[in-house]
Amino acid sequence: YVNDKYSNPSSGTVIDNTVTRRNHFDFFLVSQHVRQGTVNPTHYIVLKNGCNLSVENVQRLSYKLCHLYYNWCGTVKVPAPVQYAHKLAYLIGQNVRKMPNDRLCNSLFFL
């Protein structure tokens, strides 16, 4: 509630208690700034923390990865690697319908 009216939470806002699950490593992250309407936080569930990062570092890394999507100058709702995986799975599933050539493995051909 700002200046006598409701507003969206700012970009980078993390909610990691009260509305999260008690026995899970999860959090909600607002990664985008919206100018119209309401912002929807993304729910993150950490299945395995193999690097033993602190909770704060996992949240910060998730937020920073939302800034690295190649086709957009601002932030995206989910981290860039997740968006790339989604794009690649859609491309292969809908259009290619077979495994890509091995020479394409080290390129971002799906962009």
Side-chain angles (χ1 to χ4, degrees):
Y1 200 70
V2 178
N3 297 330
D4 295 331
K5 61 181 180 178
Y6 291 104
S7 65
N8 284 314
S10 60
S11 179
T13 299
V14 173
I15 297 115
D16 60 0
N17 56 30
T18 307
V19 296
T20 57
R21 295 182 181 133
R22 185 173 303 210
N23 298 327
H24 290 85
F25 180 6
D26 66 334
F27 59 95
F28 289 89
L29 171 65
V30 176
S31 60
Q32 297 173 304
H33 172 74
V34 295
R35 292 181 179 88
Q36 184 177 3
T38 56
V39 67
N40 290 326
T42 303
H43 186 202
Y44 291 85
I45 300 172
V46 180
L47 299 176
K48 183 175 181 178
N49 186 1
C51 296
N52 295 322
L53 294 173
S54 68
V55 172
E56 185 177 317
N57 284 341
V58 170
Q59 294 167 350
R60 187 177 292 132
L61 177 64
S62 301
Y63 178 62
K64 289 186 177 191
L65 285 173
C66 292
H67 290 81
L68 297 177
Y69 187 60
Y70 183 75
N71 286 345
W72 192 254
C73 62
T75 57
V76 291
K77 186 173 170 117
V78 296
V82 174
Q83 187 69 21
Y84 289 136
H86 174 73
K87 259 187 122 166
L88 180 59
Y90 180 80
L91 174 75
I92 299 301
Q94 295 295 315
N95 300 316
V96 177
R97 298 180 189 253
K98 63 180 180 176
M99 291 299 293
N101 191 312
D102 288 336
R103 291 181 284 168
L104 294 174
C105 288
N106 293 325
S107 67
L108 298 175
F109 71 94
F110 50 89
L111 293 179

